[in-house]
């Protein structure tokens, strides 16, 4: 007889007190039916021979098999399922090996569930399905019985393994209190029983148990168990360490919360019931009215702030972030000006000249005022320094009634300057776009992206690529700044970019902007700008009246011609400011100051003129021709000189004057055309072999390049080779081909005005440039005769007429 209290407690759920029951084990000695062995599948239990335990019966099929075994004292097979989630497993769902066991007793527990007390015998391997004779509705299998190969107890290695298993089992049981009773082995317990009981009950991996149940050698099973116990012991150590850290963190958080509550109570006692920073942020967030997605993010960040200690650095970082986010104009917009006539008058009064530029801007203002929801194109004002690109942006903002902010991009080489820094370190901040919106206080300002052609790039990223999202109307409605980490709508912002040159602007960025070129001002326009804007502004800054300082028109023109070399008016403004400073100094010293300031006073006030404008050169010498060139500071006359020298062997073409490849090619093309038409021009072909031809462009220190000197070089060569001088006070500009066609060139406006300043009376240009000449006011070209040509023959007819 054996008492149930002497048997191992249950290995699965339903581990409840079973009371005291006596069982006669002699009644359970029947041999297993290997052809039709009833199978009781378990979900997570792998049973080993010689082990007594209880198994919870939850499924109907398991209860029927257990009760049948108990009633008929018939051994059954206990096999673990491969997938524990299968409710009605078949043989294919079970592992290949199991244990023959006797169901000693089926007990009904107080909660109505049933449990079976079983005793393991020996192992078996499933060979196939059973005959189904014993219990037709039950799961059965044809099995082959397996024997365990015992190990010699005298083996030193085997003894060491068993001792390690004992020690490891005790360690695991200490760290897992529910296992303490299961692995308490009295002295004299057989080694195989220690191995089998430990393998059945201790929390080791199922894969290890499957290896053990298949092992025929007890020693092999013991080695597998020992390794599994080591791994389980290490895992319990890690779990205990994690739990201790979690408990310590929880205690610290509770302590911090308790101390924070005490601090809040003390503060209320000292200063009254004052709202916290988190409460203020919540009020600000409610006033903004975020959508559900953004509101959830903001709420999470505010809760995070509330958990921080106000004295910690993390609190300051989180506070700064929330203050920045809630300071952005999520729903604030400027009230737009709908008076088109007023907007047009603002633009006209702020800027003189630039008629085409102002016309394009006025067109855009009209479109925006007619439909405020239209997606405005990104305008890019391109021109030399000082022509008014930035001031045009200010005028556009004033005309529309919007806020204006400037975003300086010159020298920016970090992508984070555009997209913002990630909040991973102290000192993180939003990008310049978000910062400009914060400063503007509205979500529909005019943002001037200044000097986009001077963006840099390095290992920190490419800012120009980051601008692609900013300047794309289809994408910027969801602009993502890394610091804010919430999408911001930039579709209401009017972006205006500025650049001095488009050569360094990346092509993808150039595709997103509409270029408006500002070529610069002619001297007459500069005079009017000085009268209307520069002098009044300089006097206003000093607090003087117009009557306190007068400058004659002739003096202003002399400053423009002799003291400045620019397309804009920045240097002109500085020189006028210098005259004002001289006047202020004279006033404080009680000295006389000329009023008005005339040309004769400039040398004393401004010093010797640094620039000398070329006058029309005497071209009575054959081989000297006046050309016209464009520079970033305006137009210039360009002299071409040709001389012949005897050649020792074969004549060569020599070109000097710090020229680029295009100018050198123009000289080669010009000479080749002359050689092809030498007979028609009255030139002896032998001259090309007997003489070196030297083409020189004076002022060799100044680089020269560009396709605009072709007809000038041809004329100078023909003049030198024929010995005929060209007409006096004649200048020309245009490129040529090998066929003698004259091609149009750019910069006509600046070139023609430079020619007039130099006293030129006749100018030759390509007929296709007639439209450029028509855009120039007639009074600017008074006294100049234009000659429009198609071919080099037309050029030479005008030149030598």
């Amino acid at each position: 007889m054996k008492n149930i209290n002497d048997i191992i407690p249950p290995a699965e759920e339903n581990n409840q007190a079973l009371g005291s029951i006596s069982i006669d084990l002699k009644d359970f000695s029947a041999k297993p039916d290997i052809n039709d062995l009833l199978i009781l599948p378990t979900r997570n239990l792998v049973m080993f021979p010689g082990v007594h335990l209880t198994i919870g019966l939850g499924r109907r099929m398991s209860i029927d098999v257990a009760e049948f075994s108990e009633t008929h004292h018939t051994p059954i097979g206990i096999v673990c399922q491969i997938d524990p989630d299968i409710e009605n497993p078949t043989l294919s769902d079970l592992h290949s090996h199991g244990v023959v066991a006797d169901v000693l007793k089926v007990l009904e527990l107080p909660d109505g569930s049933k449990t079976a007390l079983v005793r393991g015998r020996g192992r078996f391997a499933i060979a196939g399905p059973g005959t189904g004779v014993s219990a037709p509705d039950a799961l059965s299998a044809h099995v082959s019985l397996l024997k365990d190969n015992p190990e010699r107890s005298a083996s030193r290695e085997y003894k060491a393994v068993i001792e390690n298993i004992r020690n490891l089992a005790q360690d695991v049981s200490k760290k897992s209190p529910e296992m303490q009773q299961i692995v308490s082995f009295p002295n004299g317990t057989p080694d195989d029983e220690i191995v089998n009981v430990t393998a059945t009950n201790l929390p080791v991996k199922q894969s290890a148990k499957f290896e053990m149940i298949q092992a025929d050698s007890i020693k092999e099973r013991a080695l597998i168990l020992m390794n599994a116990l080591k791994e389980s012991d290490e895992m319990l150590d890690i779990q205990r360490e994690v739990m201790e850290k979690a408990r310590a963190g929880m205690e610290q958080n509770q302590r911090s919360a308790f101390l924070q509550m005490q601090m809040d109570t003390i503060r209320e006692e000292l200063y009254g019931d004052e709202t916290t920073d988190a409460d203020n942020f919540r009020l600000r967030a409610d006033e903004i009215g975020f959508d559900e997605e953004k509101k959830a993010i903001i709420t999470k960040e505010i809760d995070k702030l509330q958990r921080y200690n106000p004295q910690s650095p993390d609190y300051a970082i989180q506070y700064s972030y929330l203050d920045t986010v809630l300071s952005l104009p999520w729903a604030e917009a400027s009230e737009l000006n709908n008076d088109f006539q007023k907007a047009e008058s603002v633009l006209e009064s702020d800027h003189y000249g630039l008629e085409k530029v102002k016309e394009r801007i006025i067109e855009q203002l009209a479109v925006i005022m007619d439909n405020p929801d239209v997606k405005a194109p990104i305008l890019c004002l391109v021109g030399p320094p000082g022509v008014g690109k930035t001031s045009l942006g200010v005028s556009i903002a004033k005309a529309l009634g919007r806020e204006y902010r400037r975003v300086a991009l010159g020298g920016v080489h970090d992508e984070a300057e555009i997209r913002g820094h990630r909040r991973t370190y102290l000192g993180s901040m939003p990008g310049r776009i978000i910062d400009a919106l914060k400063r503007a206080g509205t979500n529909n300002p005019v943002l001037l992206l200044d000097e986009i052609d001077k963006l840099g790039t390095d290992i920190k990223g490419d800012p120009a690529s980051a601008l692609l999202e900013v300047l794309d109307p289809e994408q910027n409605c969801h602009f993502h700044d890394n610091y804010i980490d919430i999408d911001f709508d930039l579709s209401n912002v009017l972006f205006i970019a500025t650049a001095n040159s488009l050569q360094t602007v990346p092509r993808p960025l150039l595709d997103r902007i509409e270029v408006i070129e500002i070529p610069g001002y002619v001297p007459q326009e500069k005079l009017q700008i000085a009268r209307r804007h520069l002098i009044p502004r300089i006097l206003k800054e000093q607090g003087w009246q117009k009557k306190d300082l007068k400058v004659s028109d002739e003096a202003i023109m002399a400053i423009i011609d002799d003291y400045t070399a620019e397309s804009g008016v920045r240097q002109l403004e500085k020189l006028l400011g210098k005259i004002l400073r001289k006047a202020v100094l004279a006033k404080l010293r009680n000295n006389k100051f000329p009023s008005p300031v005339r040309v004769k006073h400039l040398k004393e006030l401004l010093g010797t003129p640094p620039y000398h404008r070329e006058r029309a050169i005497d071209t009575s010498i054959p081989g000297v021709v006046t050309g016209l060139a464009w520079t970033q500071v305006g137009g210039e006359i360009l002299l071409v000189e040709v001389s012949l020298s005897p050649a020792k062997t074969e004549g060569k073409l020599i070109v000097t004057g710090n020229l680029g490849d295009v100018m050198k090619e123009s000289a080669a093309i010009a000479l080749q055309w002359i050689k092809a038409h030498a007979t028609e021009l009255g030139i002896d072909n032998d001259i090309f072999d007997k003489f070196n031809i030297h083409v020189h462009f004076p002022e060799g220190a100044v680089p020269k390049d560009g396709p605009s000197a072709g007809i000038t070089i041809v004329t100078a060569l023909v003049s030198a080779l024929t010995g005929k001088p060209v007409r006096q006070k004649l200048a020309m500009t245009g490129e040529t081909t090998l066929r003698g066609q004259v091609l149009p060139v750019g910069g006509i406006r600046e070139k023609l005005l430079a020619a007039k300043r130099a006293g030129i009376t006749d100018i030759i240009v390509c007929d296709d440039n007639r439209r450029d000449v028509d855009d120039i006011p007639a009074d600017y070209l008074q006294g100049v005769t234009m000659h429009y040509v198609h071919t080099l023959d037309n050029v030479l007819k005008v030149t030598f007429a």
Side-chain angles (χ1 to χ4, degrees):
M1 300 293 291
K2 193 173 184 69
N3 194 291
I4 196 170
N5 291 333
D6 300 328
I7 300 177
I8 304 296
E12 289 191 343
E13 58 274 359
N14 300 324
N15 185 9
Q16 302 175 3
L18 301 177
S20 179
I21 300 174
S22 296
I23 299 173
D24 189 355
L25 299 179
K26 295 179 181 179
D27 297 335
F28 300 94
S29 58
K31 293 184 178 180
D33 185 355
I34 61 174
N35 295 317
D36 193 28
L37 183 66
L38 296 180
I39 301 298
L40 192 155
T42 60
R43 295 184 189 271
N44 292 297
L45 173 66
V46 179
M47 190 174 179
F48 288 84
V51 177
H52 293 75
L53 50 78
T54 56
I55 300 176
L57 304 175
R59 292 177 286 194
R60 185 71 256 173
M61 62 180 296
S62 299
I63 296 174
D64 292 342
V65 169
E67 289 179 344
F68 181 88
S69 175
E70 179 193 23
T71 303
H72 297 85
H73 292 184
T74 301
I76 61 174
I78 296 179
V79 187
C80 185
Q81 295 178 202
I82 298 174
D83 183 358
D85 295 329
I86 297 177
E87 187 64 27
N88 296 304
T90 61
L91 287 181
S92 61
D93 299 321
L94 305 178
H95 283 282
S96 60
H97 289 67
V99 171
V100 176
D102 295 313
V103 179
L104 304 179
K105 191 70 176 178
V106 176
L107 303 171
E108 185 172 353
L109 302 178
D111 61 358
S113 62
K114 292 186 178 182
T115 185
L117 176 63
V118 297
R119 177 188 65 176
R121 290 193 187 182
R123 298 178 303 111
F124 67 83
I126 297 177
T131 58
V133 175
S134 301
D137 296 332
L139 181 65
S140 64
H142 173 64
V143 302
S144 58
L145 300 179
L146 304 174
K147 290 184 178 180
D148 288 342
N149 298 326
E151 181 69 17
R152 290 186 301 109
S153 58
S155 171
R156 295 177 62 184
E157 181 182 356
Y158 181 63
K159 285 184 177 181
V161 171
I162 296 299
E163 188 63 26
N164 277 338
I165 291 176
R166 279 179 174 271
N167 296 333
L168 287 170
Q170 290 178 1
D171 290 342
V172 171
S173 65
K174 290 178 181 178
K175 298 168 186 176
S176 182
E178 62 273 12
M179 296 292 149
Q180 288 181 1
Q181 295 181 353
I182 297 177
V183 294
S184 56
F185 300 108
N187 293 331
T189 303
D191 294 341
D192 58 345
E193 183 177 341
I194 293 175
V195 173
N196 290 333
V197 172
T198 303
T200 301
N201 294 284
L202 282 184
V204 297
K205 285 185 177 181
Q206 295 289 345
S207 58
K209 291 188 177 184
F210 298 146
E211 287 186 54
M212 286 187 280
I213 195 67
Q214 296 177 35
D216 294 332
S217 169
I218 293 295
K219 179 180 179 181
E220 181 182 356
R221 191 180 304 165
L223 288 171
I224 298 172
L225 175 61
M226 182 179 67
N227 292 330
L229 283 172
K230 287 181 180 178
E231 185 176 349
S232 180
D233 187 40
E234 292 174 357
M235 186 61 64
L236 287 173
D237 286 339
I238 294 174
Q239 291 177 352
R240 183 175 60 180
E241 184 179 350
V242 171
M243 289 299 294
E244 289 177 355
K245 289 182 178 180
R247 187 180 300 109
M250 186 178 300
E251 292 174 354
Q252 181 63 32
N253 289 337
Q254 291 174 345
R255 181 174 179 273
S256 298
F258 176 72
L259 293 175
Q260 185 64 43
M261 187 181 300
Q262 285 186 322
M263 289 176 62
D264 293 341
T265 303
I266 294 172
R267 189 197 62 219
E268 290 180 8
E269 291 292 333
L270 292 174
Y271 309 110
D273 188 9
E274 184 180 341
T275 57
T276 64
D277 292 331
D279 295 333
N280 291 330
F281 283 137
R282 285 194 176 90
L283 291 175
R284 291 171 62 181
D286 293 339
E287 292 174 359
I288 293 173
F290 289 106
D291 58 37
E292 291 301 323
E293 181 180 358
K294 291 185 176 66
K295 185 177 181 180
I297 297 174
I298 296 299
T299 302
K300 181 180 178 181
E301 297 295 337
I302 294 175
D303 293 341
K304 188 186 297 183
L305 175 73
Q306 204 166 16
R307 292 194 297 269
Y308 289 145
N309 186 328
Q311 305 302 322
S312 69
D314 290 336
Y315 186 92
I317 294 173
Q318 189 70 5
Y319 182 95
S320 178
Y321 167 74
L322 287 170
D323 184 60
T324 300
V325 172
L326 298 178
S327 297
L328 291 177
W330 297 95
E332 296 293 331
S334 299
E335 186 176 351
L336 303 182
N337 171 38
N338 295 320
D339 188 345
F340 177 73
Q341 283 71 26
K342 180 181 177 181
E344 189 173 13
S345 64
V346 167
L347 200 62
E348 289 290 346
S349 62
D350 286 352
H351 292 84
Y352 181 83
L354 305 178
E355 300 302 331
K356 286 190 174 182
V357 176
K358 290 191 293 186
E359 182 66 22
R360 174 63 186 88
I361 293 174
I362 288 172
E363 290 173 1
Q364 190 60 49
L365 296 182
V367 171
I368 294 175
M369 288 185 176
D370 183 63
N371 182 11
D373 296 329
V374 70
K375 293 182 179 179
I378 313 301
L379 304 179
C380 182
L381 307 176
V382 181
V387 295
K389 301 185 293 296
T390 304
S391 60
L392 274 170
V394 176
S395 297
I396 293 173
K398 190 192 304 183
L400 290 173
R402 300 192 184 196
E403 292 292 327
Y404 166 82
R405 288 297 180 273
R406 174 177 171 267
V407 180
L409 299 179
V412 172
H413 54 81
D414 187 353
E415 184 180 337
E417 293 286 339
I418 305 299
R419 291 192 179 276
H421 301 76
R422 299 189 184 278
R423 289 186 294 133
T424 55
Y425 56 89
L426 191 64
S428 301
M429 61 183 67
R432 298 195 178 197
I433 303 299
I434 292 296
D435 181 67
L437 288 169
K438 178 183 175 183
R439 290 185 286 111
T442 62
N443 60 16
N444 61 343
V446 173
L447 291 190
L448 184 78
L449 305 180
D450 206 10
E451 298 178 325
I452 64 169
D453 58 326
K454 296 179 179 60
L455 286 169
T457 179
D458 60 11
I459 58 174
K460 296 180 181 178
D462 183 6
S465 299
L467 279 177
L468 295 177
E469 181 184 3
V470 176
L471 299 182
D472 191 339
E474 300 299 328
Q475 299 181 31
N476 62 12
C477 55
H478 299 291
F479 175 67
H480 189 86
D481 185 277
N482 292 327
Y483 180 81
I484 301 301
D485 208 21
I486 304 173
D487 289 349
F488 194 94
D489 186 2
L490 297 180
S491 60
N492 296 324
V493 179
L494 178 60
F495 290 100
I496 300 175
T498 69
N500 295 131
S501 172
L502 296 179
Q503 294 181 354
T504 57
V505 179
R507 185 66 189 179
L509 186 58
L510 200 58
D511 289 340
R512 284 167 167 77
I513 58 180
E514 180 178 340
V515 176
I516 300 178
E517 293 188 0
I518 305 178
Y521 302 103
V522 299
Q524 288 81 355
E525 290 175 335
K526 292 181 181 180
L527 173 62
Q528 295 300 324
I529 292 172
R531 282 273 173 238
R532 301 184 183 197
H533 301 289
L534 302 184
I535 294 177
R537 181 162 68 236
I538 292 171
L539 292 175
K540 182 179 179 181
E541 291 174 355
Q542 181 60 30
W544 282 23
Q545 302 296 323
K546 289 184 179 181
K547 62 181 181 178
D548 296 330
L549 177 65
K550 296 181 180 180
V551 184
S552 66
D553 290 350
E554 294 78 9
I556 296 176
M557 290 299 293
I559 295 173
I560 293 170
D561 289 338
D562 301 332
Y563 288 87
T564 64
E566 58 177 348
S567 294
V569 293
R570 191 166 293 163
Q571 293 298 324
L572 176 59
E573 183 176 7
K574 291 179 180 179
L575 292 172
L576 291 173
K578 185 175 182 179
I579 293 176
L580 175 63
R581 292 196 299 273
K582 296 286 187 182
V584 173
L585 182 60
K587 177 182 176 182
L588 296 180
R589 288 177 174 177
N590 295 320
N591 295 335
K592 289 184 178 181
F593 191 82
S595 183
V597 176
R598 301 189 183 279
V599 177
K600 62 182 180 181
H601 304 129
L602 293 180
K603 186 173 182 179
E604 180 184 354
L605 296 175
L606 302 178
T608 303
Y611 302 103
H612 174 65
R613 298 294 180 181
E614 292 284 356
R615 307 304 298 174
I617 303 301
D618 182 9
T619 56
S620 59
I621 302 174
V624 179
V625 180
T626 303
L628 297 174
W630 177 90
T631 67
Q632 286 192 347
V633 297
E636 295 286 349
I637 65 171
L638 178 71
L639 296 181
V640 180
E641 300 174 345
V642 177
S643 67
L644 304 178
S645 61
K648 292 182 179 180
T649 54
E650 183 180 354
K652 295 186 297 183
L653 174 65
I654 304 171
V655 184
T656 58
N658 197 357
L659 308 179
D661 292 338
V662 176
M663 293 280 278
K664 293 177 182 178
E665 290 177 358
S666 296
I669 292 171
L671 180 60
Q672 191 63 34
W673 182 85
I674 292 173
K675 287 181 179 180
H677 298 80
T679 304
E680 302 169 16
L681 297 172
I683 301 173
D684 186 359
N685 284 312
D686 294 339
I687 197 173
F688 300 110
D689 296 326
K690 296 178 179 180
F691 290 89
N692 293 323
I693 301 175
H694 190 159
V695 181
H696 177 63
F697 293 79
E699 299 186 18
V702 180
K704 308 172 188 70
D705 199 12
S708 64
I711 65 173
T712 310
I713 299 173
V714 170
T715 304
L717 288 170
V718 172
S719 175
L721 293 170
T722 60
K724 297 178 182 179
V726 300
R727 290 173 55 175
Q728 295 291 323
K729 297 185 179 181
L730 172 71
M732 61 191 70
T733 181
E735 193 50 80
T736 183
T737 67
L738 280 173
R739 296 180 292 109
Q741 297 292 319
V742 178
L743 304 178
V745 294
I748 293 296
R749 183 180 188 224
E750 290 79 7
K751 292 176 180 179
L752 267 55
L753 294 173
K756 184 179 179 183
R757 287 197 307 268
I760 301 295
T761 59
D762 293 271
I763 300 175
I764 300 176
V765 296
C766 178
D767 188 65
D768 290 338
N769 285 125
R770 189 188 296 268
R771 60 181 180 272
D772 299 310
V773 178
D774 293 340
D775 289 338
I776 303 174
D779 56 335
Y780 289 177
L781 297 178
Q782 190 174 1
V784 176
T785 301
M786 301 300 302
H787 301 273
Y788 301 101
V789 296
H790 291 283
T791 64
L792 286 175
D793 293 334
N794 302 143
V795 173
L796 297 178
K797 286 179 182 180
V798 175
T799 303
F800 298 107

